[in-house]
Amino acid sequence: MIAVVDMPSVRGKLSPQAPLAPLVWFKSGGSADWLFEPKDVQDLSDFLANLDPATPVMPLGLGSNLIVRDGGWRGVVVRLGKAFSFARTQSDKTMLTCGGGTSGILVSSTARDAGIAGLEFLRSIPGTVGGFVRMNGGAYGRETKDVLIACTVVLRDGKVATLPAEALGYSYRHSMLPEGAIVVDATFAGTPGDPAAIQAEMDRIAAAREESQPLRSKTGGSTFKNPDGHKAWALIDAAGCRGLRIGDAQVSEKHCNFLLNLGAATSADIEALGDEVIARVKAHSGVTLEWEIQRVGNAV
């Protein structure tokens, strides 16, 4: 555990030995040595500038696409709170600037109210703007790279920088965002649209998700990346993994690319189930699945 004397002073909230399971969708995993919820961008910048450079730092959004291992996180977890949850139109009425802690639902609904089309797909991604930018989040045929203009980040040394989208080297579910950078805001561009038509598209997306995904379960969202020319769920289904269990961890019967915590699964159970799925798919089809869900921390 990091000693108390090693922590810089903050204006936000800094909590030692903070349980992370309540903050992630799987509801499993250990604690962080420290959980920091900055008051504003300057608070985050000052903290990182004065934090020992050897201390690991991890940003945490809604915790949807994440397995925190049972041994927890040896370092600082940064969680962006209300000060980083906003969506504002710019002078160019087709552009929207959003805080790094803003949910996709707030982004898309603000865009709707402003008559900005093209951001409806963000409604369906269970995460925050910071995660969208880092992972090139996408759904229903669109990705973050299609709408991002630029983002503001606080680098690991505390410096604040603005990065244009073209500097992020986007590919499928990947960016070249600098290691340790925390996204504090992002500007998206859409096109002029009718709010009623935008709402209709958001409703269509929401209904499609409701029909096909286990939305009310303890899950991490989409588990594996789609390999070139394949759908991950179809490969998993063909390998006989639908409903497969290890302890209370289960492959969803509704959507095979979702893993579930049925109640008392540990993070080790969930990760082991994912690894077993990878092995069975490889044996059946010769295709190697890659994790889309981020796995962090230490095993017990």
Side-chain angles (χ1 to χ4, degrees), residues 71-233:
W73 177 261
R74 302 284 72 79
V76 177
V77 168
V78 175
R79 192 166 189 243
L80 302 183
K82 290 183 180 179
F84 298 87
S85 179
F86 61 85
R88 306 179 186 124
T89 55
Q90 298 299 301
S91 54
D92 180 334
K93 298 302 183 181
T94 61
M95 296 174 64
L96 202 64
T97 295
C98 308
T102 310
S103 70
I105 291 176
L106 180 56
V107 174
S108 58
S109 61
T110 303
R112 174 204 61 210
D113 294 345
I116 301 173
L119 304 182
E120 296 91 340
F121 74 100
L122 295 174
R123 161 72 176 78
S124 67
I125 307 177
T128 57
V129 164
F132 303 160
V133 171
R134 175 172 291 280
M135 295 300 295
N136 190 22
Y140 298 96
R142 304 210 79 194
E143 296 178 307
T144 300
K145 69 177 179 62
D146 299 324
V147 295
L148 181 70
I149 299 299
C151 64
T152 304
V153 300
V154 180
L155 301 171
R156 178 60 184 82
D157 62 5
K159 293 177 182 175
V160 179
T162 298
L163 303 176
E166 53 267 27
L168 298 184
Y170 275 132
S171 57
Y172 177 61
R173 300 296 178 266
H174 177 75
S175 76
M176 296 179 66
L177 199 69
E179 185 70 26
I182 296 175
V183 177
V184 291
D185 71 46
T187 298
F188 302 110
T191 57
D194 173 57
I198 294 168
Q199 182 61 57
E201 175 63 5
M202 290 169 61
D203 290 344
R204 183 191 71 80
I205 289 172
R209 288 189 70 227
E210 180 74 34
E211 182 179 356
S212 64
Q213 299 176 14
L215 300 181
R216 290 167 181 78
S217 303
K218 297 176 184 176
T219 182
S222 183
T223 304
F224 301 106
K225 299 177 183 179
N226 288 323
D228 288 342
H230 299 276
K231 293 291 187 182
W233 76 264

Side-chain angles (χ1 to χ4, degrees), residues 243-263:
L244 181 66
R245 286 181 63 167
I246 292 180
D248 258 3
Q250 182 186 45
V251 176
S252 171
E253 295 184 353
K254 188 172 187 179
H255 192 310
C256 293
N257 200 23
F258 283 64
L259 303 184
L260 309 179
N261 177 356
L262 298 180

